[in-house]
Amino acid sequence: MSQKRKSVNLFYGFLILLTLVNLIQSFATELILDEAYYWYFSKNLDWGYFDHPPMVAFFVKAGTLLFGGELGVRFFASFLFTGTVYFLWRTIDDDLKYKNTALFCVLMASVALFNVYGFFMLPDTPLLFFAALFLWSYKQFLEKENIISILILAVSMAGMMYSKYHAVLLIGFIILSNLKILGKKNFWLAGILALLLYSPHLYWLYENDFNSLRYHLVERANSKYKINYTLDYVAGFFGVMGLAFPLIFKAFFKYEKKTAFDRGLSVVVYGIFVFFLISSFNRRTQAQWPLLVSLPLIIIAFNYALKHEKFKKWLFRFSLATLVLLSFLRIALVEERISPIVYESHGNKEWVAELHQKSEGRPVVFRNSYSEASMYSFYSGVEAMSANGYPFRKNQYDLDSSESNFRHKKVVYLSSQKGADSSFGYTRKFRNLKWKGIFVDDFRPWRKLKVTLQEEEIDPGSNSVSFKLDNPYNEEVAFGELKFYGLTLNRKKAVLDTLKVELENRFLNGRIPAKSSLEIRVDLKDTEKLQQAEFFRITIAENILSMGFQGNIVPVKE
């Protein structure tokens, strides 16, 4: 048998083993919080969701149609990851790779965070697959602009964008690295086809008033700068590649980028690093955000190793050491007793069973926790929702109609807030989070009331403001159930303080008719607080719920 044939057999054997190991891990590991949330997405398939495009929900839905439990949620993650590895291998066209297949396999199995997406089903799982497909198809397109490369390029771009919005960075930096490609009509054809494939999501954004984009780009509160945001980001960026990261980045800096494809890989790494470095100046960056750089780094490091024997030996040793460590950590995800920390895949079935017993099987409403609500519903089979407000953020439970399934029902309302009322309590092991619950016999949420300030900007010396109050419900809402507040926000849209708001007497005992709107003018108290504010909004707390996100945000005059 030839060396190449042996190499190919070894590679495909590795892919089969990798898939089987990941399937076993998928079956044996309890869900993590975000996975439960995406499972909630999949219960009602749509062309988009508040936090992400729909690709992750589609794969979760497909898996749960085949299998129950954790395996159903994660089933396609294993195959997507295997596909990612396959297309990375195909992208490397140096024949020396056939003599170094073992190195490639060990390297692929040891890239730290990268391997998480071999069994967790998260938006980055399909993102990595379509990104690997994109890099391979881009290279094919550079070599030969045939109909196959055009179609695969289009599908990969659309697939990435259906997975996560920041896929646009990979596409954008590849174009930036090779501006001549904009002169190729076939590349424009691929782009148009990708846009057509992506159009259902664009239409969904339009139909939903661009809710998701407005939140991420305009309404989302940023944080005051902290040096550890940047330091954590830089450490995570380099550490994501595992123990071999010094060697991998050495290869990146030393590898000679001769071709347009190699230059593209380099620009992607630099571009994504700088983009999220800037992002770290106003918020904490999550470790997976720059994960796309792992693909070009793997390709470059392996290509460099093929020509440098000493480097190759050390890369193999460090990768093997990382693989041993990762194997232990993967077992620890399943077996809490050997884990150095309590992770979010530990103890979920226990707290869900305890809550189910204490809540007497009632539907459960969590204050400000979409992940807890989704996790509870997954393991208990009981309806649950998240009632969101300050200081939390909007999510899918604000966008969909889940609230209507709970109105006027007997529910249990849970809060982790200190000093909250309590009929019973329980503690979730992960982060030692203590929840307190009360029984509510007629739950009356009005989170979808809408407040629109009439002023385009607020005068800091003003003692009153006008707004339109819209009631989208099929029933009237009593003003007696509502409390209005004014919120002052800093330039990063984080809450500074609360202003008292007084309604006119004629509204105090009145009602807002169903499917109607009212023009309301309210008096503001403590208006000196406006002097320090950059933005202002009106918000509503109804019945037992805290302040929501009903009002639009307007600037305060300088």
Side-chain angles (χ1 to χ4, degrees), residues 88-139:
L88 286 178
W89 173 259
R90 290 288 305 276
T91 302
I92 299 164
D93 54 12
D94 191 325
D95 283 345
L96 285 174
K97 72 179 183 180
Y98 296 110
K99 295 181 180 180
N100 297 277
T101 307
L103 171 63
F104 182 83
C105 295
V106 172
L107 177 61
M108 293 305 307
S110 67
V111 177
L113 188 58
F114 181 67
N115 272 271
V116 165
Y117 301 101
F119 53 93
F120 285 153
M121 178 53 84
L122 301 164
D124 297 271
T125 309
L127 174 66
L128 286 170
F129 169 77
F130 285 109
L133 180 63
F134 171 74
L135 291 176
W136 174 74
S137 61
Y138 172 62
K139 189 169 187 179

Side-chain angles (χ1 to χ4, degrees), residues 76-272:
F76 284 99
S78 301
F79 296 97
L80 288 169
F81 183 73
T82 299
T84 302
V85 175
Y86 172 78
F87 283 111
L88 286 178
W89 173 259
R90 290 288 305 276
T91 302
I92 299 164
D93 54 12
D94 191 325
D95 283 345
L96 285 174
K97 72 179 183 180
Y98 296 110
K99 295 181 180 180
N100 297 277
T101 307
L103 171 63
F104 182 83
C105 295
V106 172
L107 177 61
M108 293 305 307
S110 67
V111 177
L113 188 58
F114 181 67
N115 272 271
V116 165
Y117 301 101
F119 53 93
F120 285 153
M121 178 53 84
L122 301 164
D124 297 271
T125 309
L127 174 66
L128 286 170
F129 169 77
F130 285 109
L133 180 63
F134 171 74
L135 291 176
W136 174 74
S137 61
Y138 172 62
K139 189 169 187 179
Q140 298 301 305
F141 180 85
L142 291 176
E143 295 171 1
K144 189 174 183 181
E145 297 176 31
N146 57 25
I147 189 64
I148 298 298
S149 65
I150 293 169
L151 288 174
I152 297 177
L153 196 61
V155 169
S156 63
M157 287 192 286
M160 283 195 295
M161 291 302 298
Y162 269 120
S163 300
K164 284 188 92 167
Y165 292 122
H166 77 239
V168 71
L169 296 176
L170 178 58
I171 300 170
F173 287 128
I174 284 291
I175 294 173
L176 186 63
S177 73
N178 184 17
L179 292 176
K180 290 181 180 179
I181 202 170
L182 295 176
K184 295 179 178 289
K185 65 178 183 179
N186 285 333
F187 183 77
W188 283 99
L189 177 59
I192 292 169
L193 287 173
L195 194 61
L196 288 173
L197 291 171
Y198 196 57
S199 59
H201 179 65
L202 295 176
Y203 183 72
W204 177 89
L205 285 171
Y206 170 76
E207 285 282 283
N208 287 273
D209 197 26
F210 297 96
N211 242 319
S212 304
L213 296 183
R214 281 195 296 107
Y215 168 73
H216 289 298
L217 300 177
V218 179
E219 296 180 356
R220 187 173 188 171
N222 295 316
S223 304
K224 182 180 178 181
Y225 178 66
K226 298 178 182 178
I227 185 65
N228 64 293
Y229 286 179
T230 301
L231 295 177
D232 289 348
Y233 165 68
V234 173
F237 182 87
F238 289 100
V240 74
M241 301 304 293
L243 299 179
F245 81 89
L247 293 172
I248 290 173
F249 281 96
K250 175 186 176 181
F252 173 73
F253 291 119
K254 288 201 166 189
Y255 184 69
E256 190 175 354
K257 289 86 173 176
K258 296 179 180 179
T259 67
F261 181 75
D262 290 337
R263 289 192 298 272
L265 298 180
S266 180
V267 171
V268 166
V269 174
Y270 282 118
I272 291 179

Side-chain angles (χ1 to χ4, degrees), residues 309-523:
E309 195 66 29
K310 186 176 179 181
F311 175 88
K312 179 172 65 177
K313 290 178 181 179
W314 281 107
L315 181 61
F316 184 86
R317 292 166 184 168
F318 274 92
S319 297
L320 192 60
T322 305
L323 178 57
V324 172
L325 177 60
L326 285 180
S327 298
F328 168 77
L329 293 176
R330 288 176 68 138
I331 296 171
L333 285 174
V334 180
E335 183 49 72
E336 183 183 344
R337 288 174 294 183
I338 68 168
S339 177
I341 62 170
V342 176
Y343 188 58
E344 55 187 281
S345 62
H346 296 148
N348 290 310
K349 293 179 180 179
E350 296 173 22
W351 73 257
V352 167
E354 180 181 358
L355 175 57
H356 186 262
Q357 186 270 325
K358 290 182 176 179
S359 65
E360 300 175 2
R362 287 190 182 193
V364 176
V365 178
F366 289 82
R367 178 183 183 271
N368 290 348
S369 187
Y370 60 83
S371 53
E372 303 280 336
S374 304
M375 187 73 78
Y376 179 76
S377 186
F378 178 81
Y379 281 114
S380 70
V382 175
E383 280 192 302
M385 68 165 281
S386 178
N388 306 306
Y390 284 102
F392 199 49
R393 71 167 184 87
K394 288 183 178 181
N395 52 65
Q396 183 62 23
Y397 288 96
D398 295 289
L399 189 61
D400 64 22
S401 59
S402 58
E403 176 190 306
S404 63
N405 297 327
F406 289 76
R407 190 173 301 108
H408 300 305
K409 285 189 176 181
K410 293 182 177 181
V411 305
V412 164
Y413 179 70
L414 289 160
S415 174
S416 60
Q417 189 178 29
K418 290 182 180 179
D421 293 337
S422 175
S423 299
F424 67 90
Y426 72 94
T427 300
R428 191 194 69 192
K429 286 183 180 180
F430 178 61
R431 294 177 180 168
N432 195 35
L433 191 60
K434 295 176 172 59
W435 287 90
K436 300 173 183 179
I438 59 173
F439 292 91
V440 180
D441 289 334
D442 183 14
F443 182 57
R444 299 170 68 86
W446 309 112
R447 301 271 92 174
K448 293 187 183 294
L449 292 174
K450 184 178 179 182
V451 173
T452 306
L453 285 162
Q454 306 290 38
E455 292 90 343
E456 292 184 359
E457 56 182 2
I458 299 297
D459 187 334
S462 176
N463 293 315
S464 62
V465 294
S466 298
F467 60 83
K468 184 173 75 169
L469 178 62
D470 291 294
N471 175 11
Y473 299 105
N474 292 319
E475 59 182 296
E476 60 183 11
V477 179
F479 276 100
E481 297 183 54
L482 312 177
K483 291 182 181 179
F484 292 82
Y485 297 91
L487 294 181
T488 59
L489 314 173
N490 64 17
R491 66 182 181 86
K492 294 180 178 292
K493 298 187 179 69
V495 176
L496 291 172
D497 215 330
T498 305
L499 274 66
K500 294 180 181 178
V501 172
E502 289 189 359
L503 290 171
E504 296 175 343
N505 289 334
R506 64 191 179 99
F507 292 118
L508 294 181
N509 296 313
R511 294 176 178 272
I512 314 161
K515 297 288 184 181
S516 68
S517 61
L518 296 175
E519 299 291 335
I520 296 176
R521 190 164 190 86
V522 294
D523 292 329

